[in-house]
Amino acid sequence: MSEITSSIPLQINPDLQEERDKASFNVTELTHIIYGGIEKTKKRKRLEKLLFSDPFFQEYQNVRAFGSRSEYYAASVKKSTKIFKLRRQHKWTDEEYETVLDICHDDLALTLHHTMFIPALERLATEDQKSKWLTLAKQYKIIGTYAQTELGHGTYLQGLETTATYDPQTREFVMNTPTLSAMKWWPGSLGKSSNHALVLATLIISGKKYGMHPFLVQLRSMDDHKVLPGVRVGDIGAKMGGNSVDNGYLILDNVRIPRNNMLMKNAQVSPDGKFVTRGPSKANYATMMLIRVQICTMAYQVVSSGATIGIRYSAVRRQSKLDPQDREPKILEYQTQQYKIFPGLAMSYAFLFASRSLTRKYEEAFAEIQRGDFKSLPELHCLSSGLKSFCSEHSVRQVEIIRQSCGGHGYLNAAGLGMLVNAAAPMITVEGENTVMYLQLARYILKRFAGAMSGQQLDGSTSYLSMDPATYVCPVMSETDCRNLTALCDIYRYRSYMTVCRVARQVQHDMESDMPQHVAINKNLVDLVRAAKAHSYYIVVKDFVEGVDALVASAPVIKVLRTLCCFYAAHGIAEYSGDFLESEAVGLHQLKWIKNLQVSLLGEIRPDAVALVDAFDYHDITLSSALGCYDGNAYERLFKSTENDPMNKEEVHPSYYQYLKPFMEEMNKSKL
Ligand SMILES: CCCCCCCCCCCCC/C=C/C(=O)SCCNC(=O)CCNC(=O)[C@H](O)C(C)(C)COP(=O)(O)OP(=O)(O)OC[C@H]1O[C@@H](n2cnc3c(N)ncnc32)[C@H](O)[C@@H]1OP(=O)(O)O
Ligand SMILES: Cc1cc2nc3c(=O)[nH]c(=O)nc-3n(C[C@H](O)[C@H](O)[C@H](O)COP(=O)(O)OP(=O)(O)OC[C@H]3O[C@@H](n4cnc5c(N)ncnc54)[C@H](O)[C@@H]3O)c2cc1C
């Protein structure tokens, strides 16, 4: 009788334990730093315990892995409603609720209700409207979504075709989807879950268009969830990932809504049809900016989850030979393996600090905006557009590299990496497609650069554009200088300055050669995006350096974070060496030193790699990965995962009787 079983050993895999034993710093101390203090970590742990003591959360993993799309959606609705109920029962604050959503790490079917519908009501409704609609939404008496994107237009909001035509006779808006391309297409939770939608439509009064405004439209009956007259709504189909969410389509045919259903914080239509605006014209774009900021935090969660799985697995997987006399080494010993995974590890900490800094700036600016002061809006719009694009692009790419680094097993659903990549991939597209968002940043940078050239004193994230480039000397004079974080940051800043300067001069030159502005811009789009990326990279490195410098922590924690920060910056210079050389931010000597440093830092990070991912403190259910589980018993967990596979339910699959058996019989009878 074979002794091979799928039972999970009670003890930690000794290979992983060995890693934990040799960590140079206190993991718990770093965990507290990551979560904002001991109290917050404790609170998170309490919430985690409360959630995961319910066996449903474990069963949900099986439905996610093996259920049909419809079963997965249903389980996710159940999960959403369970969480909603728990929130009421335990009177969670918004912060506690956000923590629960972070712990769940999963697209909930009703996610749009809290990620966009409620924030949109908070930002776009008047106080009177809030007391009605926001109260209902927060009590889950209505479930809503944010319906902006159409089949024909997602990016170009001025091209949206859905109309809201004011009828002064009845004091109603008449909502219409005039063409196929005008149908709403993509909104999450729209297809089957929501009974209300915030529909973004072009306002028309007496035949005149007044731009895009938000309208609250009821879609389904509150008695039986049946679709209301004039409304056609459904699911848009299976996607690469995120299939627990019913992204939907919506067609409106002369649907009448009361005048008060237009959210009127930023613009009003009076009963007799007069239009009045308040605040800047882009005030109705406020919800998108909030989510762009949140996407940076999501990118941190994505890449840190991927790094946790990749590093723990690489510490328990043994393969091939390094020393011919020794046993097979852990694959984490191979320098190439470290080179695939440690950039994701360093990026996790970089994005932690960058997203924290962006969130702080957002909260400060939002408080000003609430007081009617919009001066920080342009800076915040551009910073959030750039960082949203940068963090999503880099995290998705890095997690795919980590998936590949796990060899064949990384390709299994049970590894959790494929699902992570596919769930995270839309971060690149949602809330403004990345290229388009980089170009928003580039447009702002060009204007600021022109301001600096004409002697304006700049402030905020672009203040460095008023530097005098003639004063720049590469601050790295020796190999040892390469470890100086301020010097590395200066190199990024100068690279960004030169990239911006070059494209600004080119656009100006093209326009002076009588090229129309739009032609000159389009001729330089690739370089404009390059400039926005260089600026975003500089901001992330700067936030990382400043974040580590400002930390109050023990010497070992500071040391390990400084090493990671140095590696992050050195790796970026090595990876984009062409740009750094071309801009003369570094010379060939410096590049060689920085590349050497990058490789030697791999060896310095190696002993702390497992501890650095343990500090993220992800629960096994949150990670949902046989390869990345805390105990390191990856093989047992992989084997265990096959038990729930419906393919293994019967010894002989029905397809044998249907197809294979008759086929084999036919083949065996055949004379050929
Ligand atoms: C651990 C596991 C985690 C897994 C993670 C999974 C994640 C999955 C996803 C989660 C769910 C996501 C839900 C998604 C929801 C959505 O996608 S909702 C739809 C979002 N749609 C968009 O974002 C549309 C993008 N387009 C735009 O924002 C705009 O059209 C535009 C590109 C910005 C252009 O706008 P337009 O009105 O055409 O403006 P212009 O005439 O070009 O003027 C631009 C000027 O306006 C300024 N500006 C633009 N936007 C803003 C703003 N938000 N705030 C302030 N100012 C703004 C801009 O700077 C220009 O200013 P000037 O240069 O001074 O003129
Ligand atoms: C999973 C998921 C969830 C979503 N959830 C919602 C939701 O809840 N509510 C909602 O309203 N929407 C939602 N969306 C829609 C999303 O916001 C849009 O897909 C997104 O804004 C991009 O717009 P698009 O699809 O029209 O892309 P397009 O604009 O068609 O982009 C296609 C290509 O054209 C390029 N391009 C377009 N314009 C320019 C330009 N000006 N300059 C240079 N290049 C350009 C882009 O870079 C891209 O390469 C969701 C989408 C996804 C994938």
Side-chain angles (χ1 to χ4, degrees):
M1 190 62 179
S2 161
E3 285 176 16
I4 298 172
T5 73
S6 64
S7 59
I8 315 283
L10 291 175
Q11 72 277 28
I12 304 277
N13 183 321
D15 278 343
L16 207 49
Q17 191 55 52
E18 178 189 41
E19 299 293 327
R20 291 182 174 132
D21 292 343
K22 68 183 178 201
S24 73
F25 65 94
N26 182 325
V27 173
T28 315
E29 184 192 351
L30 187 51
T31 302
H32 294 328
I33 291 170
I34 291 171
Y35 289 99
I38 300 180
E39 280 316 309
K40 288 197 174 156
T41 314
K42 276 192 191 158
K43 195 181 271 178
R44 212 179 108 264
K45 287 282 189 203
R46 265 202 314 275
L47 290 168
E48 225 168 49
K49 201 166 160 204
L50 176 84
L51 283 180
F52 296 148
S53 59
D54 181 341
F56 166 77
F57 286 88
Q58 185 67 60
E59 287 154 21
Y60 179 79
Q61 313 274 344
N62 291 334
V63 186
R64 189 164 86 133
F66 301 116
S68 66
R69 164 105 206 279
S70 186
E71 287 163 343
Y72 181 23
Y73 165 70
S76 182
V77 174
K78 182 172 173 185
K79 187 169 168 180
S80 296
T81 54
K82 254 181 188 287
I83 293 175
F84 288 168
K85 277 199 271 183
L86 283 169
R87 180 183 196 176
R88 282 177 67 131
Q89 188 186 335
H90 296 277
K91 299 193 171 56
W92 288 335
T93 60
D94 285 350
E95 192 185 315
E96 286 169 326
Y97 186 57
E98 288 303 323
T99 307
V100 167
L101 298 177
D102 288 348
I103 293 168
C104 285
H105 243 214
D106 188 49
D107 276 345
L108 297 172
L110 305 182
T111 196
L112 254 283
H113 180 72
H114 59 80
T115 53
M116 290 205 81
F117 186 62
I118 289 181
L121 288 172
E122 284 167 343
R123 282 158 184 76
L124 310 179
T126 61
E127 290 308 314
D128 273 359
Q129 289 174 323
K130 277 193 225 172
S131 65
K132 182 178 176 190
W133 300 112
L134 188 58
T135 311
L136 289 173
K138 284 193 163 173
Q139 293 172 347
Y140 307 109
K141 291 183 175 153
I142 56 172
I143 303 287
T145 180
Y146 183 84
Q148 182 175 284
T149 304
E150 298 174 354
L151 190 57
H153 291 98
T155 293
Y156 184 54
L157 298 182
Q158 295 180 46
L160 294 186
E161 297 174 81
T162 304
T163 52
T165 308
Y166 188 59
D167 178 351
Q169 305 298 321
T170 59
R171 297 184 175 177
E172 288 171 323
F173 291 101
V174 188
M175 307 295 297
N176 266 309
T177 306
T179 60
L180 174 74
S181 57
M183 88 166 95
K184 294 295 175 190
W185 188 273
W186 268 119
S189 320
L190 169 66
K192 296 287 156 190
S193 313
S194 296
N195 43 42
H196 282 71
L198 200 61
V199 175
L200 283 296
T202 300
L203 169 67
I204 301 177
I205 308 171
S206 306
K208 186 172 169 201
K209 291 185 176 174
Y210 287 89
M212 185 188 92
H213 293 276
F215 299 86
L216 189 64
V217 182
Q218 185 175 343
L219 306 177
R220 290 174 180 269
S221 153
M222 301 308 285
D223 298 326
D224 58 6
H225 207 57
K226 288 263 166 64
V227 178
L228 294 183
V231 175
R232 276 165 69 193
V233 66
D235 182 270
I236 61 170
K239 296 149 294 201
M240 275 172 64
N243 278 309
S244 57
V245 181
D246 51 325
N247 295 84
Y249 66 81
L250 171 68
I251 299 169
L252 299 169
D253 183 11
N254 283 316
V255 174
R256 289 183 165 263
I257 56 169
R259 184 185 68 92
N260 194 38
N261 279 31
M262 170 175 160
L263 299 192
M264 297 209 205
K265 179 171 180 191
N266 302 314
Q268 282 186 327
V269 175
S270 64
D272 60 349
K274 292 219 169 47
F275 177 78
V276 185
T277 51
R278 305 175 189 168
S281 65
K282 303 300 173 197
N284 278 335
Y285 290 9
T287 321
M288 292 179 272
M289 196 189 311
L290 166 74
I291 315 298
R292 285 172 197 148
V293 172
Q294 291 175 351
I295 285 178
C296 296
T297 308
M298 286 182 208
Y300 151 70
Q301 289 168 346
V302 166
V303 70
S304 56
S305 305
T308 305
I309 299 171
I311 287 176
R312 285 186 183 157
Y313 176 64
S314 300
V316 300
R317 175 76 164 174
R318 291 178 175 272
Q319 190 87 243
S320 311
K321 286 273 177 181
L322 264 173
D323 177 350
Q325 311 307 322
D326 206 350
R327 63 188 289 216
E328 286 179 280
K330 298 173 178 178
I331 56 173
L332 196 55
E333 303 302 354
Y334 295 106
Q335 194 182 59
T336 43
Q337 185 72 2
Q338 297 164 9
Y339 194 67
K340 287 180 210 173
I341 305 184
F342 292 173
L345 174 63
M347 187 184 289
S348 304
Y349 283 92
F351 289 2
L352 173 73
F353 286 103
S355 60
R356 209 176 253 183
S357 160
L358 178 64
T359 305
R360 201 176 45 248
K361 285 177 190 142
Y362 174 81
E363 282 166 357
E364 285 164 10
F366 184 62
E368 284 173 15
I369 290 167
Q370 293 292 79
R371 295 194 294 270
D373 173 359
F374 293 91
K375 72 171 180 315
S376 354
L377 191 62
E379 158 89 6
L380 193 66
H381 164 56
C382 295
L383 194 60
S384 56
S385 298
L387 290 187
K388 175 267 174 190
S389 305
F390 185 86
C391 294
S392 60
E393 174 190 335
H394 284 249
S395 61
V396 171
R397 188 195 308 150
Q398 208 57 50
V399 177
E400 171 58 16
I401 292 172
I402 293 174
R403 186 196 68 70
Q404 291 169 20
S405 82
C406 293
H409 301 336
Y411 192 63
L412 274 169
N413 270 359
L417 288 165
M419 279 199 179
L420 187 64
V421 173
N422 283 350
M427 293 194 301
I428 288 169
T429 311
V430 298
E431 299 304 347
E433 197 278 329
N434 276 1
T435 304
V436 175
M437 292 293 106
Y438 274 133
L439 289 171
Q440 286 287 305
L441 170 59
R443 174 178 167 138
Y444 178 71
I445 297 176
L446 282 199
K447 279 191 188 171
R448 302 283 283 180
F449 185 75
M453 291 298 101
S454 59
Q456 243 179 52
Q457 198 54 44
L458 303 184
D459 57 4
S461 62
T462 50
S463 57
Y464 71 99
L465 293 177
S466 24
M467 78 193 270
D468 175 3
T471 59
Y472 179 80
V473 179
C474 180
V476 167
M477 308 286 187
S478 67
E479 281 208 68
T480 1
D481 283 347
C482 298
R483 287 180 182 262
N484 180 331
L485 298 183
T486 314
L488 291 170
C489 199
D490 284 352
I491 291 175
Y492 273 86
R493 188 175 55 192
Y494 186 72
R495 190 268 296 233
S496 180
Y497 176 90
M498 289 308 288
T499 316
V500 173
C501 175
R502 202 176 317 118
V503 68
R505 296 244 154 87
Q506 189 58 48
V507 171
Q508 191 186 9
H509 171 268
D510 289 341
M511 279 165 53
E512 282 167 5
S513 321
D514 281 346
M515 223 177 251
Q517 188 182 16
H518 69 277
V519 178
I521 294 283
N522 199 31
K523 178 174 167 281
N524 291 289
L525 277 192
V526 170
D527 285 337
L528 284 166
V529 169
R530 191 172 288 154
K533 287 184 177 182
H535 174 79
S536 306
Y537 222 139
Y538 160 59
I539 297 294
V540 170
V541 169
K542 180 168 154 291
D543 285 344
F544 197 176
V545 173
E546 288 176 356
V548 174
D549 278 350
L551 265 191
V552 180
S554 66
V557 164
I558 303 269
K559 181 168 182 278
V560 76
L561 289 180
R562 286 184 70 83
T563 306
L564 275 183
C565 185
C566 189
F567 176 72
Y568 182 73
H571 179 72
I573 296 173
E575 204 179 14
Y576 297 93
S577 51
D579 278 7
F580 283 90
L581 284 174
E582 196 184 336
S583 61
E584 296 180 26
V586 293
L588 280 173
H589 280 308
Q590 285 99 352
L591 182 61
K592 208 172 98 202
W593 294 332
I594 289 170
K595 281 186 162 178
N596 288 344
L597 171 71
Q598 181 207 194
V599 171
S600 59
L601 286 174
L602 293 172
E604 290 178 34
I605 294 168
R606 162 70 190 88
D608 281 321
V610 167
L612 280 163
V613 292
D614 280 351
F616 299 130
D617 199 26
Y618 287 124
H619 193 285
D620 279 349
I621 297 185
T622 301
L623 274 187
S624 191
S625 165
L627 303 189
C629 48
Y630 183 79
D631 64 16
N633 295 314
Y635 293 158
E636 290 82 353
R637 284 178 187 274
L638 275 181
F639 192 28
K640 183 100 193 147
S641 74
T642 64
E643 285 174 7
N644 297 315
D645 186 344
M647 291 284 283
N648 293 330
K649 282 279 175 287
E650 302 103 335
E651 189 178 335
V652 178
H653 195 266
S655 62
Y656 171 76
Y657 301 106
Q658 255 182 308
Y659 307 113
L660 197 53
K661 182 168 181 276
F663 173 74
M664 301 283 296
E665 284 168 356
E666 196 183 322
M667 291 301 110
N668 284 324
K669 274 189 220 145
S670 156
K671 297 236 164 28
L672 285 176

